[in-house]
């Protein structure tokens, strides 16, 4: 905590204790609740006190019945924090939602297999429909394909299926080379080769539904490797045909299983009669539906379950979060409010209260809470504002592009910015999928880059334990002794290069040298059907070029294929990739640390500089979304609906409330109304 902010005001502390007792009362009565508390209110403190209360009042009974308290957190970092504060109590099962749900449903493989089978059948039908149903936007290749007789179509599919290796080896070749290559294998189907890009798209769909059908056949025969569904938190990517699901699919499967099987609901309630959810506003709809079903089932069977949500709807800044809609999805919840602030000085709180525009207005719980500084730097340029920042400051920028410039990763960012996968409505996803400090949220391409950089960095750091470079299933390496581990690390150190292209080629070469353990590590890093250079290039092309990719490289829509984009990515200096890796890992090295607004969620800093811009993104409504919020601020203050402004309000509120003591805001747009509004908010 900052200097000051130490002396609790007795009357406010008493009221805080009363609020805590209100929580306890609802918990004791098994009345499921939602706890609303603004930024810095001590939500985690209230959550931990609630957990301690349950342990104190019910610990012996829970232990006797082999039961636990379930506590769901948003990140692994938050989970560790709660565990540490509880002393790693064996009565509290603390984890992320994905970890816990998988632990709950993994044993029910028969039911999981049924859901997975349904998913595969749906995906097969989707792929077949894409190939067979007429669409006025389709290219000639698809029309030619549909005109083939049933026998010819089958022969064509068999031919391309038999030559998958060649397809990926020649994937990044020029169109002429690619076409000439295929003339040797399918000379009778040259009408399908009028466009190499469209041909790749067509073949991609064929590969996908063939793999899905093959998977279904193998499941039916109960072949080895097809008898259970798997989930691996390290890879946020479906591999349905390999029986592996992603984070989102895990949530989907969990919701289906819980909804279909009342017995499973009861099993969960019997094991976890108390369930607490931290940062409820970021919880997905699927999860809230699961909790609502458990709550309802608990009431039906007479030993009511308790579900407690802790968070703040005004801090909902992600598209998938339930936000303010929680009471619609989970009805009948008791509501408890806390308006005290334990983080910021009074001057910061006053600004945050003006931005919330709801009924929850905070006040400091401390008597020594004055002495902060919140100012609007009217008339300053960005450079002038920076000049005033002495010591360590954290600078928040709205635009990803500006953060990329300031952190020295512009070349990487520009490749992603121009990629079709982030076109239109998907533009804002770059923030999460490239610039996220949460590895699990990185997109397909960025996740692959992260794993490459992680290995590249680990093998160069002397302090990295040799066993931490063993990627993949750790049980596969159980026979290795320390001598062999050192040998592996030494061999991997040979992976050198000035560009990403150099490094990927060296990794492929390293994996091909014959050592089975090193090959296993390289295969786990890339997580692909085939680990060779051409296949990796194909994967990156698909990951960046298609906004329809759902599972694997072969599935993507390549209508706007541009091989030069991946070539540009591969040519970027490794030093820039290392800077990107350290940014994702939050290994700050400068006095001025740059963040996106989104990237500050859950953090707090002594000194914060916020750069207010009109907006971001390619969508028309996003271009001026902050400007619109601030220009209409007076009307909103008078009670006009917030519905169309919540995203802007929430993002600005989260940014402002990261500051503990010193807050500076500058506006770099041209709107006089925005300047006037900011002046009023800051009383300047």
């Amino acid at each position: 905590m900052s200097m000051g902010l130490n002396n609790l005001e007795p009357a406010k502390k008493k009221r805080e204790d009363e609020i805590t007792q209100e929580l306890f009362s609802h918990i004791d009565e098994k009345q499921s609740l939602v706890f609303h508390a603004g930024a810095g209110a001590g939500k985690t403190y209230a959550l931990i006190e609630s957990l301690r209360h349950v342990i104190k009042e019910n610990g012996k009974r829970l232990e006797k019945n082999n039961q636990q308290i379930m506590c769901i957190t948003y990140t692994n970092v938050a989970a560790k924090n709660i565990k540490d504060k509880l002393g790693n109590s064996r009565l509290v099962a603390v984890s992320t939602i994905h970890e816990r749900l998988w632990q709950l449903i993994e044993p029910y493989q028969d039911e999981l297999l049924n859901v997975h089978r349904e998913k595969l059948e749906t995906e097969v039908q989707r792929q077949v429909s894409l190939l067979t149903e007429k669409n006025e936007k389709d290219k000639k290749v698809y029309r030619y394909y549909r005109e083939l007789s049933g026998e010819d179509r089958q022969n064509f599919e068999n031919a391309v299926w038999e030559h998958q290796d060649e397809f990926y080896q020649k994937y990044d070749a020029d169109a002429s080379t690619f076409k000439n290559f295929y003339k040797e294998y399918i000379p009778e189907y040259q009408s399908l080769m009028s466009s190499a890009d469209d041909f790749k798209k067509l073949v991609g769909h064929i590969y996908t539904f063939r793999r899905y059908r093959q998977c279904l056949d193998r499941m039916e025969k109960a072949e080895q490797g097809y008898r259970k569904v798997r989930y691996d938190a390290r890879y946020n990517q479906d591999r349905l045909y390999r029986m592996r699901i992603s984070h989102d699919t895990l949530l989907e499967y969990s919701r289906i299983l819980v909804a279909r099987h009342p017995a499973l609901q009861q099993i969960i309630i019997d094991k976890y009669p108390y369930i607490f959810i931290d940062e409820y506003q970021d919880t997905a709809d699927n999860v809230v539906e699961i909790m609502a079903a458990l709550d309802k089932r608990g009431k039906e069977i007479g030993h009511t379950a308790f579900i407690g949500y802790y968070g703040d709807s005004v801090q909902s800044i992600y598209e998938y979060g339930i936000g303010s809609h929680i009471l619609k999805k989970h009805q009948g919840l008791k509501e408890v409010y806390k308006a005290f602030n334990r983080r910021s000085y009074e001057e910061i709180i006053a600004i945050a209260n003006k931005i919330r525009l709801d009924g929850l207005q905070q006040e400091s719980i401390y008597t020594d809470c004055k002495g902060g500084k919140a100012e609007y730097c009217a008339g300053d340029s960005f450079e002038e504002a920076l000049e005033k920042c002495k010591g360590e400051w954290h600078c928040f920028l709205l635009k990803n592009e500006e953060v990329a410039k300031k952190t020295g990763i512009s070349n990487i960012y520009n490749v992603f910015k121009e990629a079709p996968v982030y076109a239109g409505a998907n533009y804002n996803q770059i923030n999460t999928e490239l610039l996220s400090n949460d590895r699990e949220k990185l997109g397909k391409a960025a996740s692959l880059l992260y794993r490459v950089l992680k290995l590249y960095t680990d093998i160069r750091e002397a302090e990295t334990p040799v066993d931490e470079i063993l990627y993949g299933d750790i049980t596969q390496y159980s026979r290795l002794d320390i001598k062999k581990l050192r040998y592996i690390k030494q061999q991997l150190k040979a992976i050198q290069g000035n560009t990403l292209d150099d490094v990927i080629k060296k990794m492929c070469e390293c994996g091909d040298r014959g050592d089975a353990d090193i090959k296993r590590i390289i295969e786990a890093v890339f997580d692909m059907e085939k680990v060779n250079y051409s296949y990796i290039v194909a994967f990156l092309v698909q990951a960046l070029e298609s906004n329809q990719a759902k599972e694997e490289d072969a599935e993507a829509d390549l209508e706007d294929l541009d091989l030069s984009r991946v070539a540009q990515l591969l040519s970027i200096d490794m030093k820039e990739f290392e800077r990107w890796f350290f940014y994702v890992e939050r290994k700050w090295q400068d006095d001025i640390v740059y963040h996106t607004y989104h990237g500050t969620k859950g953090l707090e800093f002594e000194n914060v500089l916020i750069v207010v811009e009109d907006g971001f993104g390619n969508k028309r409504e996003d271009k001026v979304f902050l400007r619109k919020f601030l220009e209409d601020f007076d009307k909103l203050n008078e009670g006009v609906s917030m519905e169309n402004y919540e995203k802007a309000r929430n993002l600005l509120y989260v940014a402002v409330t990261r500051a503990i003591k010193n807050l500076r805001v500058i506006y770099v747009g041209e709107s006089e109304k925005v300047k006037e509004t900011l002046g009023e908010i800051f009383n300047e």
Side-chain angles (χ1 to χ4, degrees):
M1 186 59 68
S2 173
M3 293 292 293
L5 303 184
N6 291 309
N7 299 319
L8 294 169
E9 186 172 322
K12 293 178 179 178
K13 180 62 172 69
K14 181 182 177 184
R15 177 55 189 146
E16 184 182 61
D17 291 341
E18 290 171 353
I19 294 170
T20 302
Q21 289 302 316
E22 185 181 354
L23 285 173
F24 294 172
S25 176
H26 289 309
I27 294 170
D28 292 342
E29 295 297 321
K30 291 288 190 76
Q31 297 173 329
S32 295
L33 62 86
V34 54
F35 177 64
H36 305 285
K43 291 185 293 295
T44 303
Y45 171 81
L47 173 63
I48 290 171
E49 288 301 295
S50 297
L51 293 168
R52 286 172 174 161
H53 175 77
V54 176
I55 294 171
K56 178 183 176 182
E57 297 297 322
N58 302 281
K60 290 182 179 179
R61 177 175 58 81
L62 292 170
E63 192 166 14
K64 180 181 178 181
N65 295 334
N66 194 31
Q67 296 174 308
Q68 286 183 296
I69 307 160
M70 185 192 300
C71 180
I72 301 301
T73 66
Y74 188 62
T75 64
N76 287 315
V77 173
K80 183 179 183 304
N81 180 42
I82 292 173
K83 287 177 182 177
D84 291 344
K85 290 182 177 179
L86 287 173
N88 285 309
S89 171
R90 65 180 181 275
L91 286 175
V92 185
V94 187
S95 67
T96 63
I97 186 60
H98 298 94
E99 180 184 348
R100 185 59 52 205
L101 285 177
W102 182 240
Q103 184 257 333
L104 289 171
I105 70 172
E106 184 185 14
Y108 304 100
Q109 284 294 329
D110 288 345
E111 292 79 5
L112 266 172
L113 287 169
N114 287 334
V115 175
H116 193 64
R117 189 176 293 107
E118 292 168 6
K119 177 85 166 180
L120 285 167
E121 289 170 347
T122 299
E123 289 298 311
V124 167
Q125 186 55 51
R126 185 175 73 86
Q127 292 296 320
V128 171
S129 296
L130 288 170
L131 290 170
T132 58
E133 294 180 4
K134 292 182 179 180
N135 188 321
E136 60 183 20
K137 296 181 180 180
D138 281 341
K139 306 292 185 177
K140 291 180 181 179
V141 170
Y142 281 77
R143 295 201 298 271
Y144 292 152
Y145 172 81
R146 294 189 190 106
E147 291 169 359
L148 295 175
S149 68
E151 183 179 355
D152 283 342
R153 190 182 298 176
Q154 188 68 37
N155 289 337
F156 169 71
E157 290 174 5
N158 290 340
V160 296
W161 181 252
E162 291 169 4
H163 295 287
Q164 292 181 62
D165 287 346
E166 292 91 340
F167 178 83
Y168 291 112
Q169 287 169 3
K170 298 294 182 182
Y171 191 91
D172 55 343
D174 62 80
S176 177
T177 303
F178 187 88
K179 289 181 182 181
N180 289 333
F181 176 80
Y182 266 89
K183 285 180 181 179
E184 178 182 347
Y185 295 105
I186 50 172
E188 64 272 40
Y189 302 112
Q190 290 306 297
S191 60
L192 298 173
M193 298 293 296
S194 58
S195 164
D197 291 350
D198 294 332
F199 178 81
K200 292 172 185 177
K201 175 183 173 182
L202 173 70
V203 172
H205 289 304
I206 292 171
Y207 284 174
T208 297
F209 83 74
R210 280 265 181 139
R211 286 171 178 161
Y212 288 165
R213 281 179 174 171
Q214 188 181 68
C215 182
L216 285 166
D217 290 340
R218 289 172 171 173
M219 288 176 67
E220 185 68 26
K221 297 173 183 175
E223 292 183 13
Q224 186 69 29
Y226 295 86
R227 301 170 190 169
K228 64 182 298 185
V229 177
R230 298 182 295 276
Y231 166 74
D232 190 333
R234 294 169 299 180
Y235 302 100
N236 187 16
Q237 189 174 344
D238 280 329
R239 288 283 191 253
L240 300 180
Y241 70 98
R242 292 190 196 170
M243 307 296 289
R244 196 184 79 202
I245 58 177
S246 67
H247 304 335
D248 289 346
T249 304
L250 170 61
L251 299 184
E252 177 190 347
Y253 284 14
S254 299
R255 178 187 57 77
I256 293 171
L257 287 179
V258 169
R260 283 182 183 176
H261 302 285
L264 177 58
Q265 298 171 16
Q266 187 161 342
I267 289 169
I268 296 172
I269 294 168
D270 288 343
K271 178 63 178 178
Y272 303 103
Y274 299 91
I275 300 175
F276 294 84
I277 298 171
D278 191 23
E279 303 288 356
Y280 77 77
Q281 71 277 358
D282 296 322
T283 304
D285 286 15
N286 279 334
V287 177
V288 177
E289 288 178 23
I290 291 170
M291 297 302 158
L294 296 177
D295 197 13
K296 182 181 178 183
R297 179 63 178 170
K299 291 180 172 65
E300 291 172 350
I301 62 178
H303 54 280
T304 307
F306 171 81
I307 312 292
Y309 299 95
Y310 292 64
D312 179 15
S313 64
V314 180
Q315 295 188 66
S316 175
I317 61 174
Y318 303 116
E319 296 294 334
Y320 54 78
I322 192 72
S324 60
H325 303 294
I326 188 166
L327 295 175
K328 296 177 182 177
K329 285 285 185 178
H330 193 158
Q331 298 176 357
L333 296 170
K334 299 292 183 180
E335 295 185 84
V336 181
Y337 293 84
K338 182 182 177 184
F340 296 123
N341 186 297
R342 284 175 166 264
R343 172 184 295 158
S344 302
Y345 280 72
E346 185 177 87
E347 293 80 3
I348 310 297
I349 298 170
I351 302 301
N353 282 341
K354 291 181 181 180
I355 294 171
R356 282 193 72 103
L357 297 175
D358 71 351
L360 202 158
Q361 295 289 284
Q362 288 187 295
E363 56 184 315
S364 178
I365 199 168
Y366 302 102
T367 59
D368 54 347
C369 57
K370 296 181 182 288
K373 191 172 185 179
E375 60 179 342
Y376 167 47
C377 302
D380 281 4
S381 67
F382 176 56
E383 290 73 20
E384 289 170 331
L386 282 181
E387 281 295 315
K388 296 178 180 179
C389 297
K390 306 300 181 184
E392 185 178 278
W393 280 72
H394 291 259
C395 179
F396 302 171
L397 299 166
L398 187 65
K399 295 178 181 176
N400 303 322
E401 185 174 10
E402 292 302 315
V403 173
K405 285 180 184 176
K406 300 299 182 183
T407 51
I409 57 171
S410 287
N411 291 315
I412 299 172
Y413 174 78
N414 288 335
V415 171
F416 278 74
K417 181 182 71 172
E418 299 299 328
V421 71
Y422 296 113
N426 294 329
Y427 180 81
N428 293 337
Q429 285 298 110
I430 296 178
N431 179 77
T432 301
E433 297 189 6
L434 178 67
L435 301 175
S436 175
N437 300 124
D438 186 345
R439 175 174 64 82
E440 293 182 359
K441 292 184 176 64
L442 296 174
K444 286 176 63 177
S447 182
L448 174 63
L449 297 179
Y450 176 88
R451 296 196 300 273
V452 170
L453 268 292
K454 178 96 170 50
L455 179 63
Y456 184 81
T457 303
D458 284 349
I459 60 180
R460 279 160 179 75
E461 292 183 354
E463 61 270 23
T464 303
V466 290
D467 58 345
E468 286 192 11
I469 64 172
L470 303 179
Y471 285 63
D473 184 359
I474 196 69
T475 61
Q476 298 179 84
Y477 304 99
S478 58
R479 60 180 176 77
L480 301 182
D481 57 25
I482 190 65
K483 183 178 178 180
K484 181 61 186 293
L485 288 170
R486 287 173 177 166
Y487 168 80
I488 291 172
K489 188 172 183 180
Q490 191 60 43
Q491 290 298 304
L492 291 172
K493 280 186 177 181
I495 298 171
Q496 305 273 352
N498 295 321
T499 66
L500 179 64
D501 192 64
D502 295 337
V503 169
I504 288 177
K505 285 177 177 175
K506 288 290 178 61
M507 283 189 176
C508 292
E509 291 171 7
C510 197
D512 286 338
R513 287 180 188 152
D515 188 289
D517 295 309
I518 293 177
K519 183 179 181 182
R520 191 174 291 118
I521 291 169
I522 301 298
E523 287 177 344
V525 167
F526 287 105
D527 186 41
M528 294 181 181
E529 189 77 13
K530 307 280 185 188
V531 178
N532 61 54
Y533 180 77
S534 292
Y535 199 96
I536 294 165
V537 171
F539 175 91
L540 289 171
V541 170
Q542 298 279 3
L544 292 173
E545 301 302 321
S546 172
N547 57 17
Q548 297 182 12
K550 289 191 174 183
E551 179 185 350
E552 57 180 292
D553 47 297
E555 185 178 350
D557 184 347
L558 301 180
E559 188 171 345
D560 299 313
L561 184 66
D562 184 355
L563 294 173
S564 66
R565 204 168 348 262
V566 169
Q568 184 182 349
L569 182 70
L570 293 170
S571 68
I572 294 173
D573 194 291
M574 280 300 292
K575 291 181 179 172
E576 181 167 335
F577 278 106
E578 288 181 83
R579 286 195 292 273
W580 171 77
F581 178 77
F582 291 137
Y583 177 85
V584 171
E585 290 283 280
R586 284 185 180 158
K587 295 182 178 179
W588 320 123
Q589 298 175 342
D590 302 318
D591 287 341
I592 302 292
V593 182
Y594 296 94
H595 310 258
T596 62
Y597 283 36
H598 287 86
T600 65
K601 182 71 180 292
L603 304 176
E604 59 181 46
F605 310 106
E606 190 87 356
N607 308 307
V608 168
L609 170 66
I610 298 175
V611 181
V612 176
E613 302 167 78
D614 289 338
F616 57 83
N618 292 336
K619 291 196 306 179
R620 186 181 299 270
E621 64 266 28
D622 277 346
K623 284 186 176 180
V624 294
F625 93 125
L626 263 187
R627 191 179 84 193
K628 184 170 177 57
F629 168 67
L630 290 167
E631 287 181 337
D632 292 347
F633 192 78
D634 291 342
K635 293 186 293 183
L636 299 171
N637 233 339
E638 294 169 1
V640 173
S641 173
M642 278 292 304
E643 186 176 353
N644 296 325
Y645 300 87
E646 283 187 354
K647 181 168 66 173
R649 185 271 310 272
N650 293 3
L651 198 56
L652 187 58
Y653 176 80
V654 166
V656 165
T657 56
R658 300 310 94 191
I660 297 173
K661 187 174 184 179
N662 296 305
L663 171 67
R664 289 185 180 135
V665 172
I666 65 168
Y667 173 57
V668 295
E670 300 298 325
S671 170
E672 292 302 320
K673 181 61 177 174
V674 170
K675 295 175 184 177
E676 179 186 328
T677 298
L678 288 171
E680 291 173 356
I681 290 173
F682 284 85
N683 298 318
E684 296 183 3

